Amino acid sequence: MPIFADQWENADAIASAGAASVCEEDERTAASLGSALDHVLADDGCRSAAASLAQELRLMPSATDLVPMLEATART
């Protein structure tokens, strides 16, 4: 449920990956939010896409891993 800043782009990216449903501002009723939540929690495709995204995130370097590279870049 994006509200401001880059949340819209992030929500669209996650929905495009199949791991989310995005509720537009004018569609945010208790019924539509409940329906979107039920879909995401019950849908095997959403679960699989979320697991895939989680694995991608786990494989990304951490900020701690990147600090030496950033320090080396700053020195050049």
Side-chain angles (χ1 to χ4, degrees):
M1 195 168 70
I3 299 171
F4 63 93
D6 64 345
Q7 292 176 353
W8 294 101
E9 290 82 9
N10 294 333
D12 288 342
I14 296 169
S16 292
S21 292
V22 178
C23 293
E24 300 297 333
E25 285 182 283
D26 61 342
E27 299 171 350
R28 294 180 186 169
T29 64
S32 67
L33 293 173
S35 177
L37 184 57
D38 287 342
H39 170 74
V40 170
L41 293 175
D43 185 77
D44 289 337
C46 286
R47 187 181 339 275
S48 176
S52 179
L53 290 173
Q55 179 62 21
E56 284 185 45
L57 289 172
R58 279 191 291 277
L59 295 174
M60 293 175 70
S62 70
T64 303
D65 296 332
L66 295 174
V67 167
M69 182 187 74
L70 293 172
E71 290 174 337
T73 302
R75 285 190 289 269
T76 59

